[in-house]
Amino acid sequence: MLKGTHLIAGQWVVGDTTFTNEPTTGEPDIFSAGTVDLVNEAAEAAEEAFWTYGYSTRAERATFLRTIADEINARGDLITEMGCKETGLPEARLIGERGRTTGQLVLFADHIESGEYLDRRHDKALPDRAPLPRPEIFMMQRPIGPVAVFGASNFPLAFSTAGGDTAAALAAGCPVIVKGHSAHPGTSDLVAQAIDTAIKTCGIHPGVFSLIQGGNRAVGTATVQHPLIRAVGFTGSLGGGRALFDLCASRPEPIPFFGELGSVNPMFILDGALGARGAAIAEGWAGSLTMGAGQFCTNPGIAVVIEGSDAAAFLSAAEAALAPIGAQTMLTDGIASAYHQGRDRLAATKGVQEVLTTTCDLRNATPYLFATTAAEWLANEDLGEEVFGPLGMVVTARNMDEVAEVARSLQGQLTCTLHMDDGDTADAQRLMPILERKAGRILANGFPTGVEVCDAMVHGGPYPASTNFGATSVGTLSIRRFLRPVSYQNIPHGVLPGDLT
C-alpha cells in the first residue's frame, strides 16, 4: 500500500536513512528520509519539465488536474484510513477534507479553462499619434517556473501534497516539489501515488511533481535556497515560516515566500447583538473554538465585549458551553506540548483570569477559557500571541473607544468578525476601516472556522498572518502567486503565445 520512499521525477527513490510516523493507533510505518541530493535531483527535473509543462495548453493542464482528483478519489478509503491513523482526526473530517482537496483541483481546472486568470490586455498600435507613435502592446500572466510547497501539519490533504498551493501552481503551469510534513507521511505517500498515476495517464513530463519526505533542517533549507526554485508556498508556525522567509530573502536572487503563519482571529461582539443573543453567540463560539481540537488557522481565539451584565452573562455562557467538551487528540506530540505551554503561559500572566480550567496531558487537548480587560490587553502585547488549540480569551472593554483601541492594537489577522444587530451599525461602521487594515477576511454574524474555496475568498492578511498581504492561499486568486505579467511589444502575431491570439 505504501511506497515508503520519495517520488522524484517519476521514480520512487530510497534515501540513506529512515524515520517513522507517530500514529495514534497501530504500528508506526517506516519512511525513507530526504536528503539535499534528492532536492537537487527534484529541482533539476522540475526545471526540465517546465520547458514543456509551462507551455502546455490550458486544456491539457485542466485534464491533468481533474485526473489527479479522480485518482485521489479512487484511493479515498485508503487515504482516509491512513489520515485517521496518523493525525487522530475523525473519519468524517478526513472525508470532508478530501472532498475539498479534489474540489479545488476541479475548480482550478475550470478556472484556467475560462482564461480569466491570464488578465489579457491589448493596446492597439497608434502609428499616427503625435508627437510619437505608440507600438502595439499585449500583456498576459505567465508561469514563473518550479515551485516548492511545504505540507501543513493541520491539513493532511487540503494544504499538503495535492492541496491548494500545489493545485494553484500546477494550474498556473509550474512544476511542484512538495516537502512532505512529518506528521502524516503515509497520507502524503498515498496522495503522491495518485499524482504519479495521473502524470503517467496524461503523458506529462515526470519532473512536474516530486515528493520529498522527512529529512533534517538542511533539506528544508536546500529546498528554499535552490537556485531553480522560483517561489515557496508554506502553511505553518510563525517561527518556522519566518525562518524560511528569511532564507528566501537572503538568497543571491531572492524569491517570494508565500507563508500563512497564524492568527488569533478576534471577534467583536457589539452591544446590541450581545444583549439580544449573547448566549447563542457564546454557544456558537464554543463549537467553533473546539472544532478539530482548535487546530485551525482561523480558530477564533479572542472575543471582545463591552463591560456590563450582558458581558458577564456571555462569559458564563461560554464557560458553560465549553465545560462539557472532552479531551481531543492533537495532531502531533509537539503541537500538544506547545498548546500546554501556551495555556501555562497565560495562566501565569498578571491581569489574566482563569475562567475554565481543565486537565489534559500527553497528546490530548481540552478547552480553556481566560478573561482579561482591554487595559491589560493593551499593556501586554504577548496576550495577542496565538495559542494553537481550543483556548479562548474574553477581552472586556469599558466602552467603544477601548474596543477601537483593541482593534488598532492587533497584528495582522486572517480574519476579524463582527457580531452585530441593526442597532450596532454605527459602531460597526466605526470599526470597519480598522479591521480592513488588519485582516484579509471580515465576517458578520458567523464564525471564521472553515474557509470556502471560491473566487472571492481571501485567506491571508498583513504580517504575521501571512508574509505577503497581497496574496491568498485559498480560492482561485491564489494562482496569481505563481504567475508574473509579461508585455509583448510589436511582436508578430505568429510569434505570440497561443493564449493571446
Side-chain angles (χ1 to χ4, degrees):
M1 183 175 70
L2 293 176
K3 298 289 187 181
T5 56
H6 314 278
L7 177 60
I8 309 293
Q11 301 296 317
W12 292 93
V13 180
V14 178
D16 298 330
T17 60
T18 61
F19 72 102
T20 63
N21 55 9
E22 299 177 357
T24 58
T25 59
E27 294 298 316
D29 302 293
I30 300 173
F31 300 88
S32 179
T35 65
V36 172
D37 287 341
L38 290 173
V39 173
N40 292 333
E41 292 178 26
E44 290 170 2
E47 176 68 14
E48 182 182 344
F50 182 65
W51 293 111
T52 53
Y53 187 73
Y55 299 88
S56 59
T57 67
R58 288 179 282 126
E60 289 169 338
R61 296 199 302 279
T63 298
F64 179 42
L65 293 171
R66 293 189 180 105
T67 304
I68 294 173
D70 290 342
E71 293 297 335
I72 290 173
N73 282 330
R75 295 162 175 79
D77 291 343
L78 292 175
I79 290 171
T80 299
E81 180 181 356
M82 180 57 66
C84 291
K85 173 183 174 179
E86 291 187 313
T87 67
L89 294 172
E91 180 179 314
R93 156 72 191 273
L94 268 298
I95 292 173
E97 191 180 331
R98 173 162 52 88
R100 171 176 166 172
T101 304
T102 56
Q104 63 193 7
L105 285 162
V106 173
L107 177 67
F108 274 113
D110 295 340
H111 184 62
I112 61 174
E113 280 184 332
S114 75
E116 293 181 9
Y117 78 101
L118 294 168
D119 191 19
R120 289 172 285 203
R121 304 182 185 203
H122 180 208
D123 291 303
K124 295 181 179 180
L126 299 175
D128 299 324
R129 188 183 67 176
L132 295 172
R134 184 177 76 185
E136 181 180 48
I137 303 175
F138 289 90
M139 190 278 283
M140 182 175 68
Q141 301 289 335
R142 297 297 296 147
I144 60 174
V147 169
V149 171
F150 284 73
S153 62
N154 59 335
F155 281 88
L157 297 173
F159 278 91
S160 291
T161 308
D165 288 347
T166 299
L170 291 176
C174 299
V176 173
I177 299 170
V178 170
K179 177 67 172 63
H181 199 285
S182 58
H184 45 75
T187 309
S188 296
D189 185 310
L190 293 172
V191 174
Q193 291 183 44
I195 298 174
D196 186 35
T197 299
I199 289 170
K200 292 177 170 62
T201 299
C202 296
I204 304 292
H205 189 295
V208 76
F209 177 84
S210 292
L211 170 69
I212 299 173
Q213 300 266 43
N216 57 26
R217 183 173 296 181
V219 177
T221 299
T223 302
V224 301
Q225 291 201 311
H226 197 286
L228 295 176
I229 296 298
R230 313 313 303 160
V232 176
F234 173 88
T235 298
S237 69
L238 174 58
R242 182 55 195 251
L244 294 174
F245 173 85
D246 290 343
L247 288 171
C248 288
S250 67
R251 288 171 39 138
E253 183 185 359
I255 59 172
F257 178 83
F258 298 105
E260 190 267 281
L261 307 182
S263 178
V264 296
N265 305 293
M267 305 188 307
F268 296 84
I269 308 172
L270 302 181
D271 266 357
L274 187 65
R277 46 194 172 86
I281 295 171
E283 185 175 351
W285 182 36
S288 181
L289 190 66
T290 59
M291 183 186 301
Q295 299 170 115
F296 290 88
C297 44
T298 53
N299 192 32
I302 305 296
V304 182
V305 297
I306 294 179
E307 65 183 12
S309 59
D310 291 335
F314 171 80
L315 186 62
S316 296
E319 179 186 6
L322 289 168
I325 298 174
Q328 299 179 70
T329 302
M330 301 200 85
L331 293 159
T332 68
D333 291 336
I335 290 173
S337 178
Y339 176 65
H340 301 154
Q341 291 171 14
R343 166 205 65 192
D344 294 342
R345 172 177 59 82
L346 287 176
T349 300
K350 179 184 176 181
V352 174
Q353 172 193 356
E354 295 181 77
V355 178
L356 174 67
T357 59
T358 53
T359 301
C360 62
D361 56 12
L362 302 176
R363 197 167 161 175
N364 296 319
T366 49
Y368 286 82
L369 182 62
F370 295 88
T372 192
T373 64
E376 293 287 352
W377 171 278
L378 293 168
N380 186 355
E381 63 180 19
D382 291 345
L383 295 180
E385 293 183 8
E386 180 185 25
V387 177
F388 192 63
L391 184 149
M393 179 180 292
V394 177
V395 179
T396 302
R398 291 175 297 177
N399 48 45
M400 271 304 298
D401 288 340
E402 272 200 341
V403 170
E405 285 187 58
V406 170
R408 281 192 291 268
S409 75
L410 293 168
Q411 293 184 307
Q413 303 292 325
L414 294 171
T415 73
C416 288
T417 300
L418 289 167
H419 287 278
M420 57 175 291
D421 284 352
D422 290 343
D424 297 316
T425 298
D427 289 339
Q429 288 173 334
R430 179 179 179 182
L431 289 177
M432 277 294 289
I434 304 172
L435 303 187
E436 285 180 351
R437 296 187 66 183
K438 298 294 181 177
R441 176 164 59 114
I442 304 170
L443 301 80
N445 297 327
F447 299 95
T449 308
V451 182
E452 185 69 28
V453 182
C454 59
D455 291 327
M457 178 53 63
V458 172
H459 188 60
Y463 185 85
S466 58
T467 56
N468 190 309
F469 60 79
T472 174
S473 61
V474 176
T476 54
L477 184 63
S478 67
I479 196 174
R480 293 294 294 271
R481 297 173 298 167
F482 308 121
L483 299 164
R484 65 180 183 88
V486 177
S487 284
Y488 304 86
Q489 182 171 322
N490 280 344
I491 301 295
H493 288 198
V495 182
L496 288 171
D499 283 323
L500 279 175
T501 58

